[in-house]
């Protein structure tokens, strides 16, 4: 198989790229998806209560506003349905190859193209757009004995819906963004729930509400009003940068709100002490919930802060030696962010893989290109997610950049472009400098944002509109180019840019 552009992944990013190609009249592309359905995060995470914590009007493509959201924060099934509808309406479906897991991508320097191996045959492509997702590979903890547990074990990202939790003794490991959503849902159903917490999260009141029919009708009739609301929500979220990067002392205001929320929902001082975070708010993801704390006060719930020592055939033993018998273990233990398996399978100009290039600390120029890896674009790559803003915004910025690069390559008849190493190094030094005093690096917590070497490889170091601004144009002067003409130069006309 041959395609000009191979997009890997059919989540928000991969589909968005496909849609933009279609809008520019480019048909010569495929979307390779390992699963049998599209949607990425919102296909895989079907745990009870799964919901986005960015408002619906913002958590959607800027070019495809949806006036039909039923809640102010979208539920998993509704997001997946939205993505399916977009893929159909914009004509991307015929380009998707389901069941095609990319197992190897290697740059062929002689042929100036990528060679990809999938579980379903090979493919060559001039350009690869890797939209494999930062949170697409569940992370299973290295707890001694976990593999010898006799009961049921599953990760929140691959929820076992056939398994009935009714009346069971259930252990939940982890108290992050997923656990605080599903714990209140399963608590009334299970016999006993032991919640193993390493670090308490900061939890703020959840403002989610149903959207009334009248509001939906209004936005259907007046899309520009919805655009205005979307803009206001975007700038509201953008303001969190003042807390995370500009001056983290401002976090005290939010902490006051978090403590008041905790006090109002947890009357027992001993339980409250266990749930009180000892680090600056924002250092780990701020969570929104009105029913998490109340669930922990129920008689069938125990919050365990004693670290886990080992798992036995039918129980979990903590450091103090206490042994709790359980039937099922649910892992709410997050994702492999810094060692995503795909990093080892992408080989560049010199035969080295991304994993070898990065050695545990992923980096990219503007979060999307890497020296030694020509014609490769990572969507929502290292240091590009915007603190407490929508990841879809980052995706669209990167899509703009990749589209502008394709346009430049066509105009100039270029076969290959590759970011210069000096540009990449200087850029990443400045990212590290700007993140040094951020709440994520200096807020006093251990989080998945930091890799094993302590580098923050997740967040964009500033206001996200700056990422949008910097990706509006393809800065070819920062790239090595191979000017060998592969095809006639083509002019696409003026760029159509996506905005906030
Ligand atoms: C539970 C959860 C809650 C979240 N909540 C929010 C939120 O509130 N706000 C927010 O902004 N973000 C949130 N996120 C982040 C979310 O991942 C992004 O917002 C967005 O959905 C990412 O889209 P994506 O297309 O980049 O990646 P994904 O949605 O992860 O899609 C990647 C796709 O690539 C495919 N793929 C991976 N490897 C291969 C391969 N080798 N071959 C072929 N296909 C492959 C996967 O199967 C998947 O379909 C959340 C994530 C999770 C897990």
């Amino acid at each position: 198989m041959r395609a000009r552009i191979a997009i890997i992944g059919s989540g928000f990013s991969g589909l968005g790229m496909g849609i933009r190609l279609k809008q520019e009249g480019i048909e010569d592309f495929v979307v390779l998806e390992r699963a049998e359905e599209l949607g990425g995060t919102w296909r895989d995470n079907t745990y009870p209560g799964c919901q986005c914590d960015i408002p619906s009007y913002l958590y959607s493509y800027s070019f495809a506003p949806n006036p039909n959201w039923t809640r102010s924060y979208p539920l998993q099934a509704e997001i997946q349905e939205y993505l399916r509808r977009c893929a159909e309406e914009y004509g991307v479906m015929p380009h998707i190859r389901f069941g095609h897991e990319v197992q190897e991508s290697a740059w062929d320097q002689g042929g100036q193209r990528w060679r990809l191996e999938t579980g379903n045959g090979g493919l060559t492509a001039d350009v690869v757009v890797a939209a494999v997702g930062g949170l697409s590979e569940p992370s299973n903890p290295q707890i001694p004995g976990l593999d010898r547990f006799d009961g049921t074990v599953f990760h929140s990202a691959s929820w076992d819906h056939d398994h009935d939790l009714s009346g069971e003794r259930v252990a939940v490991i982890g108290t992050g963004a997923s656990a605080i959503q599903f714990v209140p849902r399963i608590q009334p159903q299970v016999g006993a729930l032991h919640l193993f917490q390493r670090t308490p999260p900061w939890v703020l009141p959840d403002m989610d509400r149903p959207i009334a029919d009248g509001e939906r009708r209004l936005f259907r009739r007046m899309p520009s009003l919805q655009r205005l609301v979307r803009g206001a929500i975007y700038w509201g979220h953008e303001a969190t940068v003042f807390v995370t990067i500009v001056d983290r002392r401002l976090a005290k205001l939010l902490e006051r709100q978090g403590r008041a929320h905790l006090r109002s929902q947890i009357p027992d001082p001993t339980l409250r002490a266990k749930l009180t975070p000892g680090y600056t708010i924002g250092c780990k993801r701020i969570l929104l919930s009105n029913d998490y704390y109340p669930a922990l006060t129920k008689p069938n719930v125990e919050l365990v802060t004693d670290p886990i020592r080992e798992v036995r055939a039918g129980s979990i033993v903590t450091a103090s030696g206490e042994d709790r018998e359980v039937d099922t273990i649910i892992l709410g233990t997050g994702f492999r962010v810094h060692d995503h398996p795909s990093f080892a399978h992408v080989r560049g100009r010199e035969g080295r893989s991304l994993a070898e290039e990065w050695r545990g600390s992923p980096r990219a120029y503007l979060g999307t290109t890497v020296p030694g890896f020509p014609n490769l674009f990572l969507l929502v790559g290292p240091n590009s997610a915007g603190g407490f803003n929508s990841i879809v915004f980052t995706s669209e910025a990167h899509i703009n950049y990749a589209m502008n690069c394709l346009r430049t390559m066509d105009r100039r008849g270029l076969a290959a472009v590759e970011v210069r190493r000096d540009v990449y190094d200087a850029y990443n030094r400045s990212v590290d400098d700007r993140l040094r005093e951020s709440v994520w690096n200096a807020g006093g917590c251990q989080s998945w944002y930091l890799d094993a070497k302590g580098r923050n490889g997740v967040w964009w170091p500033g206001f996200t509109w700056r990422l949008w601004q910097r990706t509006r144009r393809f800065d070819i002067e920062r790239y090595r180019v191979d000017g060998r003409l592969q095809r006639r130069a083509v002019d696409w006309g003026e760029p159509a840019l996506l905005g906030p």
Side-chain angles (χ1 to χ4, degrees):
M1 198 174 14
R2 204 207 152 277
R4 171 146 190 240
I5 300 150
I7 301 169
I8 311 176
S10 68
F12 254 109
S13 304
L15 292 176
M17 184 74 203
I19 292 171
R20 292 290 291 117
L21 288 170
K22 292 288 284 192
Q23 287 176 331
E24 293 288 352
I26 298 173
E27 294 288 333
D28 190 5
F29 73 93
V30 287
V31 181
L32 303 167
E33 170 55 60
R34 63 183 173 188
E36 295 298 338
E37 172 60 285
L38 57 76
T41 291
W42 307 106
R43 172 199 65 226
D44 294 340
N45 291 269
T46 59
Y47 59 77
C50 182
Q51 190 170 17
C52 182
D53 60 15
I54 295 289
S56 314
Y57 295 135
L58 181 59
Y59 196 75
S60 41
Y61 295 121
S62 60
F63 52 83
N66 175 16
N68 299 318
W69 294 115
T70 62
R71 302 203 66 86
S72 58
Y73 288 82
L75 296 164
Q76 168 265 330
E78 221 174 337
I79 304 175
Q80 200 194 356
E81 183 48 37
Y82 166 79
L83 287 173
R84 213 178 281 130
R85 216 171 39 245
C86 287
E88 278 162 10
E89 274 174 21
Y90 289 88
V92 178
M93 287 307 274
H95 296 262
I96 308 180
R97 304 286 174 270
F98 290 112
H100 280 64
E101 172 159 19
V102 178
Q103 295 164 342
E104 195 74 40
S105 318
W107 175 252
D108 168 2
Q109 179 65 8
Q112 298 282 287
R113 62 171 75 118
W114 284 94
R115 293 186 180 281
L116 293 90
E117 281 306 323
T118 80
N120 242 324
L123 168 87
T124 61
D126 299 342
V127 171
V128 168
V129 178
V132 296
L135 305 180
S136 59
E137 287 292 331
S139 165
N140 291 333
Q142 303 296 313
I143 302 173
L146 184 58
D147 51 344
R148 293 193 300 276
F149 182 62
D150 269 350
T152 304
V153 184
F154 57 85
H155 192 281
S156 58
S158 38
W159 195 271
D160 185 351
H161 291 279
D162 294 332
H163 183 78
D164 185 5
L165 294 171
S166 301
E168 282 203 334
R169 298 162 300 179
V170 175
V172 172
I173 302 181
T175 54
S178 301
I180 83 145
Q181 292 185 334
F182 69 74
V183 161
R185 301 304 165 100
I186 64 170
Q187 173 273 320
Q189 189 192 356
V190 303
L193 197 159
H194 306 283
L195 177 60
F196 292 85
Q197 169 190 278
R198 206 160 51 178
T199 319
W202 280 101
V203 182
L204 294 183
D206 185 0
M207 312 298 271
D208 182 37
R209 61 176 173 87
I211 294 177
D213 284 348
E215 186 174 330
R216 280 199 291 271
R217 269 198 306 276
L218 180 68
F219 286 148
R220 255 178 250 136
R221 249 183 272 132
M222 299 181 66
S224 52
L225 190 60
Q226 188 178 346
R227 213 167 276 284
L228 216 63
V229 170
R230 177 187 168 96
I233 297 171
Y234 169 78
W235 289 109
H237 281 72
E238 197 67 336
T240 56
V241 175
F242 288 108
V243 176
T244 53
I245 296 179
V246 177
D247 187 346
R248 61 176 199 274
R249 283 172 305 184
L250 294 172
K252 295 278 169 248
L253 300 171
L254 286 178
E255 287 182 3
R256 219 173 287 156
Q257 199 188 0
R259 269 193 220 97
H261 190 48
L262 178 61
R263 258 195 321 272
S264 70
Q265 296 200 312
I266 303 282
D268 171 14
T270 312
L271 181 58
R272 202 160 62 222
K274 285 181 171 184
L275 289 168
T276 304
Y279 56 87
T280 309
I281 195 168
C283 185
K284 289 157 120 23
R285 191 163 185 88
I286 301 172
L287 307 180
L288 309 175
S289 179
N290 297 336
D291 51 10
Y292 175 65
Y293 286 148
L296 304 192
T297 64
K298 300 293 185 234
N300 65 338
V301 178
E302 179 200 21
L303 180 70
V304 185
T305 51
D306 195 16
I308 297 176
R309 192 173 73 199
E310 63 171 316
V311 174
R312 293 187 182 155
S315 63
I316 296 184
V317 184
T318 52
S320 64
E322 205 171 330
D323 196 340
R324 290 173 178 83
E325 291 191 353
V326 293
D327 305 302
T328 293
I329 300 178
I330 304 176
L331 305 172
T333 44
F335 298 87
R336 292 174 61 182
V337 177
H338 309 285
D339 65 339
H340 195 286
S342 68
F343 300 163
H345 304 147
V346 182
R347 297 197 171 273
R349 190 164 42 80
E350 289 163 1
R352 272 186 324 146
S353 69
L354 279 175
E356 285 161 343
E357 164 71 29
W358 287 335
R359 286 174 288 141
S361 286
R363 290 173 163 80
Y365 172 61
L366 295 177
T368 185
T369 53
V370 183
F373 295 80
N375 296 5
L376 172 71
F377 295 90
L378 312 174
L379 300 190
V380 197
N383 294 107
S384 66
F388 294 103
N389 225 321
S390 165
I391 302 285
V392 180
F393 179 84
T394 300
S395 256
E396 290 196 12
H398 280 163
I399 291 168
N400 273 341
Y401 194 68
M403 292 300 293
N404 288 336
C405 172
L406 289 171
R407 180 178 289 113
T408 307
M409 288 173 81
D410 271 2
R411 271 189 188 153
R412 303 191 182 197
L414 301 175
V417 296
E418 175 189 330
V419 69
R420 287 176 9 219
R421 187 163 288 278
D422 60 315
V423 168
Y424 168 88
D425 287 340
Y427 171 81
N428 280 292
R429 271 196 304 276
S430 91
V431 167
D432 291 344
D433 282 349
R434 278 183 290 153
L435 284 174
R436 193 157 295 123
E437 290 304 314
S438 72
V439 73
W440 305 301
N441 288 37
C445 75
Q446 264 296 324
S447 74
W448 57 265
Y449 309 149
L450 307 180
D451 63 33
K453 297 175 194 157
R455 179 175 189 274
N456 181 343
V458 173
W459 298 121
W460 168 254
F463 291 98
T464 62
W465 62 265
R466 285 282 296 148
L467 175 68
W468 182 78
Q469 199 181 39
R470 291 195 66 174
T471 48
R472 290 178 65 183
R473 147 186 120 76
F474 181 63
D475 42 358
I476 192 161
E477 65 282 1
R478 291 167 195 247
Y479 282 72
R480 287 163 48 127
V481 297
D482 191 320
R484 251 184 308 160
L485 271 176
Q486 276 205 320
R487 67 186 86 78
R488 208 160 36 85
V490 182
D491 199 336
W492 294 18
E494 280 314 299
L497 285 173
L498 308 175

